[in-house]
mmCIF file of all heavy atoms in Angstrom:
data_model
loop_
_atom_site.group_PDB
_atom_site.id
_atom_site.type_symbol
_atom_site.label_atom_id
_atom_site.label_comp_id
_atom_site.label_asym_id
_atom_site.label_seq_id
_atom_site.Cartn_x
_atom_site.Cartn_y
_atom_site.Cartn_z
ATOM 1 N N HIS A 1 -9.751 -18.458 -7.268
ATOM 2 C CA HIS A 1 -9.036 -18.809 -8.499
ATOM 3 C C HIS A 1 -9.999 -19.399 -9.509
ATOM 4 O O HIS A 1 -9.936 -19.112 -10.713
ATOM 5 C CB HIS A 1 -7.916 -19.800 -8.193
ATOM 6 C CG HIS A 1 -6.796 -19.177 -7.387
ATOM 7 N ND1 HIS A 1 -5.832 -19.936 -6.759
ATOM 8 C CD2 HIS A 1 -6.515 -17.882 -7.104
ATOM 9 C CE1 HIS A 1 -4.986 -19.138 -6.133
ATOM 10 N NE2 HIS A 1 -5.392 -17.877 -6.326
ATOM 11 N N LEU A 2 -10.895 -20.268 -8.999
ATOM 12 C CA LEU A 2 -11.899 -20.849 -9.890
ATOM 13 C C LEU A 2 -12.808 -19.749 -10.450
ATOM 14 O O LEU A 2 -13.197 -19.768 -11.608
ATOM 15 C CB LEU A 2 -12.719 -21.890 -9.119
ATOM 16 C CG LEU A 2 -13.855 -22.555 -9.897
ATOM 17 C CD1 LEU A 2 -13.295 -23.344 -11.086
ATOM 18 C CD2 LEU A 2 -14.641 -23.490 -8.980
ATOM 19 N N PHE A 3 -13.135 -18.774 -9.589
ATOM 20 C CA PHE A 3 -14.009 -17.674 -10.025
ATOM 21 C C PHE A 3 -13.385 -16.893 -11.174
ATOM 22 O O PHE A 3 -14.017 -16.600 -12.183
ATOM 23 C CB PHE A 3 -14.298 -16.764 -8.826
ATOM 24 C CG PHE A 3 -15.177 -15.590 -9.155
ATOM 25 C CD1 PHE A 3 -16.536 -15.754 -9.352
ATOM 26 C CD2 PHE A 3 -14.620 -14.315 -9.288
ATOM 27 C CE1 PHE A 3 -17.339 -14.673 -9.665
ATOM 28 C CE2 PHE A 3 -15.430 -13.229 -9.601
ATOM 29 C CZ PHE A 3 -16.788 -13.405 -9.790
ATOM 30 N N ARG A 4 -12.063 -16.604 -11.056
ATOM 31 C CA ARG A 4 -11.377 -15.852 -12.114
ATOM 32 C C ARG A 4 -11.275 -16.671 -13.402
ATOM 33 O O ARG A 4 -11.424 -16.168 -14.505
ATOM 34 C CB ARG A 4 -9.982 -15.452 -11.631
ATOM 35 C CG ARG A 4 -10.013 -14.323 -10.581
ATOM 36 C CD ARG A 4 -8.653 -13.749 -10.341
ATOM 37 N NE ARG A 4 -7.777 -14.781 -9.789
ATOM 38 C CZ ARG A 4 -6.482 -14.576 -9.535
ATOM 39 N NH1 ARG A 4 -5.928 -13.395 -9.784
ATOM 40 N NH2 ARG A 4 -5.763 -15.534 -9.035
ATOM 41 N N TRP A 5 -11.055 -17.997 -13.186
ATOM 42 C CA TRP A 5 -10.975 -18.862 -14.363
ATOM 43 C C TRP A 5 -12.319 -18.910 -15.089
ATOM 44 O O TRP A 5 -12.399 -18.883 -16.309
ATOM 45 C CB TRP A 5 -10.551 -20.266 -13.929
ATOM 46 C CG TRP A 5 -10.435 -21.235 -15.068
ATOM 47 C CD1 TRP A 5 -9.413 -21.392 -15.936
ATOM 48 C CD2 TRP A 5 -11.434 -22.194 -15.444
ATOM 49 N NE1 TRP A 5 -9.681 -22.365 -16.833
ATOM 50 C CE2 TRP A 5 -10.937 -22.889 -16.555
ATOM 51 C CE3 TRP A 5 -12.698 -22.525 -14.957
ATOM 52 C CZ2 TRP A 5 -11.636 -23.897 -17.185
ATOM 53 C CZ3 TRP A 5 -13.382 -23.529 -15.594
ATOM 54 C CH2 TRP A 5 -12.866 -24.202 -16.689
ATOM 55 N N CYS A 6 -13.393 -18.958 -14.321
ATOM 56 C CA CYS A 6 -14.729 -19.002 -14.914
ATOM 57 C C CYS A 6 -15.063 -17.686 -15.617
ATOM 58 O O CYS A 6 -15.736 -17.669 -16.648
ATOM 59 C CB CYS A 6 -15.772 -19.306 -13.847
ATOM 60 S SG CYS A 6 -15.771 -21.038 -13.339
ATOM 61 N N LEU A 7 -14.607 -16.546 -15.061
ATOM 62 C CA LEU A 7 -14.841 -15.251 -15.732
ATOM 63 C C LEU A 7 -14.171 -15.224 -17.100
ATOM 64 O O LEU A 7 -14.727 -14.736 -18.087
ATOM 65 C CB LEU A 7 -14.306 -14.111 -14.865
ATOM 66 C CG LEU A 7 -15.141 -13.754 -13.628
ATOM 67 C CD1 LEU A 7 -14.454 -12.653 -12.833
ATOM 68 C CD2 LEU A 7 -16.544 -13.340 -14.028
ATOM 69 N N PHE A 8 -12.966 -15.792 -17.141
ATOM 70 C CA PHE A 8 -12.276 -15.879 -18.432
ATOM 71 C C PHE A 8 -13.053 -16.791 -19.381
ATOM 72 O O PHE A 8 -13.222 -16.506 -20.565
ATOM 73 C CB PHE A 8 -10.861 -16.417 -18.212
ATOM 74 C CG PHE A 8 -10.125 -16.683 -19.503
ATOM 75 C CD1 PHE A 8 -9.580 -15.634 -20.256
ATOM 76 C CD2 PHE A 8 -10.000 -17.985 -19.975
ATOM 77 C CE1 PHE A 8 -8.917 -15.907 -21.435
ATOM 78 C CE2 PHE A 8 -9.341 -18.240 -21.154
ATOM 79 C CZ PHE A 8 -8.788 -17.204 -21.885
ATOM 80 N N SER A 9 -13.608 -17.875 -18.802
ATOM 81 C CA SER A 9 -14.356 -18.819 -19.629
ATOM 82 C C SER A 9 -15.629 -18.196 -20.147
ATOM 83 O O SER A 9 -16.104 -18.526 -21.232
ATOM 84 C CB SER A 9 -14.695 -20.072 -18.825
ATOM 85 O OG SER A 9 -13.505 -20.710 -18.414
ATOM 86 N N LEU A 10 -16.206 -17.276 -19.372
ATOM 87 C CA LEU A 10 -17.437 -16.623 -19.816
ATOM 88 C C LEU A 10 -17.226 -15.870 -21.124
ATOM 89 O O LEU A 10 -18.138 -15.706 -21.944
ATOM 90 C CB LEU A 10 -17.927 -15.652 -18.732
ATOM 91 C CG LEU A 10 -18.523 -16.301 -17.470
ATOM 92 C CD1 LEU A 10 -18.798 -15.231 -16.418
ATOM 93 C CD2 LEU A 10 -19.784 -17.055 -17.810
ATOM 94 N N LYS A 11 -16.035 -15.384 -21.330
ATOM 95 C CA LYS A 11 -15.745 -14.622 -22.544
ATOM 96 C C LYS A 11 -15.392 -15.534 -23.725
ATOM 97 O O LYS A 11 -15.506 -15.148 -24.880
ATOM 98 C CB LYS A 11 -14.584 -13.664 -22.291
ATOM 99 C CG LYS A 11 -14.882 -12.656 -21.181
ATOM 100 C CD LYS A 11 -13.649 -11.813 -20.905
ATOM 101 C CE LYS A 11 -13.911 -10.825 -19.764
ATOM 102 N NZ LYS A 11 -12.708 -10.016 -19.468
ATOM 103 N N GLN A 12 -14.895 -16.704 -23.382
ATOM 104 C CA GLN A 12 -14.346 -17.544 -24.434
ATOM 105 C C GLN A 12 -15.234 -18.727 -24.802
ATOM 106 O O GLN A 12 -15.096 -19.281 -25.890
ATOM 107 C CB GLN A 12 -12.975 -18.094 -23.983
ATOM 108 C CG GLN A 12 -11.987 -17.001 -23.568
ATOM 109 C CD GLN A 12 -11.562 -16.161 -24.748
ATOM 110 O OE1 GLN A 12 -11.523 -16.650 -25.882
ATOM 111 N NE2 GLN A 12 -11.294 -14.868 -24.522
ATOM 112 N N ARG A 13 -16.098 -19.139 -23.902
ATOM 113 C CA ARG A 13 -16.820 -20.401 -24.123
ATOM 114 C C ARG A 13 -18.250 -20.157 -24.566
ATOM 115 O O ARG A 13 -18.731 -19.030 -24.597
ATOM 116 C CB ARG A 13 -16.844 -21.238 -22.827
ATOM 117 C CG ARG A 13 -15.449 -21.448 -22.240
ATOM 118 C CD ARG A 13 -14.587 -22.330 -23.100
ATOM 119 N NE ARG A 13 -13.249 -22.508 -22.532
ATOM 120 C CZ ARG A 13 -12.314 -23.278 -23.071
ATOM 121 N NH1 ARG A 13 -12.563 -23.938 -24.185
ATOM 122 N NH2 ARG A 13 -11.126 -23.371 -22.511
ATOM 123 N N SER A 14 -18.925 -21.237 -24.823
ATOM 124 C CA SER A 14 -20.326 -21.193 -25.248
ATOM 125 C C SER A 14 -21.220 -20.871 -24.072
ATOM 126 O O SER A 14 -20.801 -20.909 -22.914
ATOM 127 C CB SER A 14 -20.725 -22.537 -25.845
ATOM 128 O OG SER A 14 -20.701 -23.529 -24.835
ATOM 129 N N ILE A 15 -22.465 -20.558 -24.372
ATOM 130 C CA ILE A 15 -23.432 -20.221 -23.307
ATOM 131 C C ILE A 15 -23.633 -21.391 -22.351
ATOM 132 O O ILE A 15 -23.667 -21.216 -21.131
ATOM 133 C CB ILE A 15 -24.775 -19.808 -23.945
ATOM 134 C CG1 ILE A 15 -24.596 -18.508 -24.744
ATOM 135 C CG2 ILE A 15 -25.839 -19.626 -22.873
ATOM 136 C CD1 ILE A 15 -25.829 -18.085 -25.502
ATOM 137 N N LEU A 16 -23.729 -22.594 -22.906
ATOM 138 C CA LEU A 16 -23.944 -23.778 -22.067
ATOM 139 C C LEU A 16 -22.768 -23.990 -21.126
ATOM 140 O O LEU A 16 -22.932 -24.243 -19.941
ATOM 141 C CB LEU A 16 -24.150 -25.015 -22.951
ATOM 142 C CG LEU A 16 -24.300 -26.354 -22.217
ATOM 143 C CD1 LEU A 16 -25.505 -26.314 -21.264
ATOM 144 C CD2 LEU A 16 -24.440 -27.499 -23.205
ATOM 145 N N TYR A 17 -21.591 -23.884 -21.657
ATOM 146 C CA TYR A 17 -20.403 -24.110 -20.844
ATOM 147 C C TYR A 17 -20.294 -23.046 -19.755
ATOM 148 O O TYR A 17 -19.950 -23.346 -18.602
ATOM 149 C CB TYR A 17 -19.161 -24.082 -21.746
ATOM 150 C CG TYR A 17 -17.921 -24.614 -21.057
ATOM 151 C CD1 TYR A 17 -17.696 -25.985 -20.980
ATOM 152 C CD2 TYR A 17 -17.007 -23.741 -20.472
ATOM 153 C CE1 TYR A 17 -16.569 -26.480 -20.361
ATOM 154 C CE2 TYR A 17 -15.887 -24.225 -19.847
ATOM 155 C CZ TYR A 17 -15.656 -25.610 -19.783
ATOM 156 O OH TYR A 17 -14.551 -26.080 -19.162
ATOM 157 N N ARG A 18 -20.650 -21.793 -20.111
ATOM 158 C CA ARG A 18 -20.603 -20.731 -19.113
ATOM 159 C C ARG A 18 -21.634 -20.960 -18.006
ATOM 160 O O ARG A 18 -21.385 -20.698 -16.828
ATOM 161 C CB ARG A 18 -20.851 -19.383 -19.799
ATOM 162 C CG ARG A 18 -19.616 -18.869 -20.555
ATOM 163 C CD ARG A 18 -19.885 -17.537 -21.196
ATOM 164 N NE ARG A 18 -20.734 -17.698 -22.371
ATOM 165 C CZ ARG A 18 -21.173 -16.664 -23.115
ATOM 166 N NH1 ARG A 18 -20.867 -15.431 -22.771
ATOM 167 N NH2 ARG A 18 -21.910 -16.880 -24.163
ATOM 168 N N THR A 19 -22.784 -21.475 -18.380
ATOM 169 C CA THR A 19 -23.816 -21.774 -17.375
ATOM 170 C C THR A 19 -23.345 -22.833 -16.391
ATOM 171 O O THR A 19 -23.543 -22.732 -15.177
ATOM 172 C CB THR A 19 -25.107 -22.250 -18.066
ATOM 173 O OG1 THR A 19 -25.542 -21.241 -18.973
ATOM 174 C CG2 THR A 19 -26.195 -22.519 -17.037
ATOM 175 N N LEU A 20 -22.706 -23.885 -16.904
ATOM 176 C CA LEU A 20 -22.182 -24.945 -16.041
ATOM 177 C C LEU A 20 -21.132 -24.411 -15.082
ATOM 178 O O LEU A 20 -21.069 -24.799 -13.906
ATOM 179 C CB LEU A 20 -21.593 -26.077 -16.892
ATOM 180 C CG LEU A 20 -22.597 -26.921 -17.680
ATOM 181 C CD1 LEU A 20 -21.868 -27.912 -18.574
ATOM 182 C CD2 LEU A 20 -23.509 -27.691 -16.710
ATOM 183 N N CYS A 21 -20.294 -23.509 -15.555
ATOM 184 C CA CYS A 21 -19.268 -22.915 -14.696
ATOM 185 C C CYS A 21 -19.892 -22.136 -13.555
ATOM 186 O O CYS A 21 -19.440 -22.190 -12.405
ATOM 187 C CB CYS A 21 -18.370 -21.993 -15.524
ATOM 188 S SG CYS A 21 -17.165 -22.891 -16.518
ATOM 189 N N LEU A 22 -20.941 -21.378 -13.862
ATOM 190 C CA LEU A 22 -21.607 -20.588 -12.825
ATOM 191 C C LEU A 22 -22.242 -21.474 -11.769
ATOM 192 O O LEU A 22 -22.195 -21.184 -10.569
ATOM 193 C CB LEU A 22 -22.656 -19.675 -13.471
ATOM 194 C CG LEU A 22 -22.108 -18.492 -14.273
ATOM 195 C CD1 LEU A 22 -23.233 -17.786 -15.013
ATOM 196 C CD2 LEU A 22 -21.391 -17.512 -13.344
ATOM 197 N N VAL A 23 -22.873 -22.573 -12.198
ATOM 198 C CA VAL A 23 -23.487 -23.514 -11.253
ATOM 199 C C VAL A 23 -22.430 -24.133 -10.363
ATOM 200 O O VAL A 23 -22.572 -24.220 -9.134
ATOM 201 C CB VAL A 23 -24.276 -24.600 -12.002
ATOM 202 C CG1 VAL A 23 -24.730 -25.688 -11.018
ATOM 203 C CG2 VAL A 23 -25.474 -23.984 -12.711
ATOM 204 N N LEU A 24 -21.320 -24.581 -10.980
ATOM 205 C CA LEU A 24 -20.243 -25.190 -10.218
ATOM 206 C C LEU A 24 -19.659 -24.203 -9.234
ATOM 207 O O LEU A 24 -19.391 -24.528 -8.060
ATOM 208 C CB LEU A 24 -19.156 -25.694 -11.186
ATOM 209 C CG LEU A 24 -17.911 -26.301 -10.543
ATOM 210 C CD1 LEU A 24 -18.280 -27.524 -9.709
ATOM 211 C CD2 LEU A 24 -16.896 -26.686 -11.606
ATOM 212 N N LEU A 25 -19.478 -22.973 -9.659
ATOM 213 C CA LEU A 25 -18.912 -21.943 -8.798
ATOM 214 C C LEU A 25 -19.819 -21.667 -7.599
ATOM 215 O O LEU A 25 -19.364 -21.539 -6.472
ATOM 216 C CB LEU A 25 -18.687 -20.657 -9.594
ATOM 217 C CG LEU A 25 -18.127 -19.464 -8.797
ATOM 218 C CD1 LEU A 25 -16.756 -19.828 -8.230
ATOM 219 C CD2 LEU A 25 -18.039 -18.245 -9.676
ATOM 220 N N SER A 26 -21.128 -21.623 -7.818
ATOM 221 C CA SER A 26 -22.063 -21.340 -6.721
ATOM 222 C C SER A 26 -22.080 -22.457 -5.700
ATOM 223 O O SER A 26 -22.155 -22.220 -4.502
ATOM 224 C CB SER A 26 -23.470 -21.101 -7.280
ATOM 225 O OG SER A 26 -23.957 -22.276 -7.904
ATOM 226 N N VAL A 27 -21.996 -23.726 -6.169
ATOM 227 C CA VAL A 27 -21.995 -24.871 -5.259
ATOM 228 C C VAL A 27 -20.755 -24.875 -4.397
ATOM 229 O O VAL A 27 -20.794 -25.039 -3.166
ATOM 230 C CB VAL A 27 -22.119 -26.190 -6.046
ATOM 231 C CG1 VAL A 27 -21.896 -27.392 -5.109
ATOM 232 C CG2 VAL A 27 -23.488 -26.286 -6.702
ATOM 233 N N ILE A 28 -19.586 -24.680 -5.037
ATOM 234 C CA ILE A 28 -18.331 -24.715 -4.299
ATOM 235 C C ILE A 28 -18.230 -23.554 -3.333
ATOM 236 O O ILE A 28 -17.781 -23.682 -2.187
ATOM 237 C CB ILE A 28 -17.136 -24.730 -5.273
ATOM 238 C CG1 ILE A 28 -17.152 -26.035 -6.069
ATOM 239 C CG2 ILE A 28 -15.820 -24.571 -4.532
ATOM 240 C CD1 ILE A 28 -16.099 -26.118 -7.136
ATOM 241 N N THR A 29 -18.682 -22.386 -3.784
ATOM 242 C CA THR A 29 -18.642 -21.214 -2.920
ATOM 243 C C THR A 29 -19.525 -21.391 -1.696
ATOM 244 O O THR A 29 -19.145 -21.084 -0.566
ATOM 245 C CB THR A 29 -19.077 -19.956 -3.699
ATOM 246 O OG1 THR A 29 -18.234 -19.807 -4.831
ATOM 247 C CG2 THR A 29 -18.975 -18.718 -2.819
ATOM 248 N N PHE A 30 -20.710 -21.962 -1.887
ATOM 249 C CA PHE A 30 -21.633 -22.206 -0.765
ATOM 250 C C PHE A 30 -21.029 -23.195 0.225
ATOM 251 O O PHE A 30 -21.085 -23.015 1.439
ATOM 252 C CB PHE A 30 -22.968 -22.731 -1.296
ATOM 253 C CG PHE A 30 -23.937 -23.073 -0.202
ATOM 254 C CD1 PHE A 30 -24.657 -22.078 0.443
ATOM 255 C CD2 PHE A 30 -24.105 -24.390 0.200
ATOM 256 C CE1 PHE A 30 -25.544 -22.396 1.464
ATOM 257 C CE2 PHE A 30 -24.978 -24.699 1.212
ATOM 258 C CZ PHE A 30 -25.706 -23.701 1.838
ATOM 259 N N SER A 31 -20.405 -24.269 -0.307
ATOM 260 C CA SER A 31 -19.810 -25.280 0.558
ATOM 261 C C SER A 31 -18.651 -24.707 1.344
ATOM 262 O O SER A 31 -18.427 -25.048 2.509
ATOM 263 C CB SER A 31 -19.334 -26.471 -0.288
ATOM 264 O OG SER A 31 -20.418 -27.049 -0.966
ATOM 265 N N SER A 32 -17.879 -23.798 0.688
ATOM 266 C CA SER A 32 -16.694 -23.247 1.344
ATOM 267 C C SER A 32 -17.073 -22.312 2.470
ATOM 268 O O SER A 32 -16.378 -22.208 3.480
ATOM 269 C CB SER A 32 -15.825 -22.505 0.330
ATOM 270 O OG SER A 32 -15.418 -23.386 -0.703
ATOM 271 N N PHE A 33 -18.181 -21.612 2.318
ATOM 272 C CA PHE A 33 -18.544 -20.600 3.305
ATOM 273 C C PHE A 33 -19.725 -21.010 4.185
ATOM 274 O O PHE A 33 -20.255 -20.189 4.923
ATOM 275 C CB PHE A 33 -18.860 -19.275 2.603
ATOM 276 C CG PHE A 33 -17.647 -18.681 1.927
ATOM 277 C CD1 PHE A 33 -17.477 -18.831 0.566
ATOM 278 C CD2 PHE A 33 -16.685 -18.012 2.667
ATOM 279 C CE1 PHE A 33 -16.367 -18.296 -0.052
ATOM 280 C CE2 PHE A 33 -15.575 -17.462 2.041
ATOM 281 C CZ PHE A 33 -15.403 -17.602 0.670
ATOM 282 N N ALA A 34 -20.190 -22.278 4.062
ATOM 283 C CA ALA A 34 -21.306 -22.737 4.885
ATOM 284 C C ALA A 34 -20.926 -22.642 6.362
ATOM 285 O O ALA A 34 -19.844 -23.075 6.764
ATOM 286 C CB ALA A 34 -21.674 -24.175 4.528
#
């Protein structure tokens, strides 16, 4: 769900905000599947 929300944000938000979303998504995804 977070991934889909971030994809939507990639289209709507600034480059900086999109970068932060990608970092957050990678951390959470790694923790979930560790």
Side-chain angles (χ1 to χ4, degrees):
H1 291 166
L2 178 63
F3 179 75
R4 287 192 297 177
W5 180 81
C6 285
L7 286 177
F8 174 77
S9 298
L10 288 173
K11 300 175 182 179
Q12 305 292 330
R13 307 292 179 177
S14 66
I15 295 175
L16 176 59
Y17 193 82
R18 283 181 286 178
T19 302
L20 290 175
C21 283
L22 288 172
V23 171
L24 177 61
L25 178 61
S26 64
V27 171
I28 295 175
T29 303
F30 177 79
S31 299
S32 301
F33 294 100

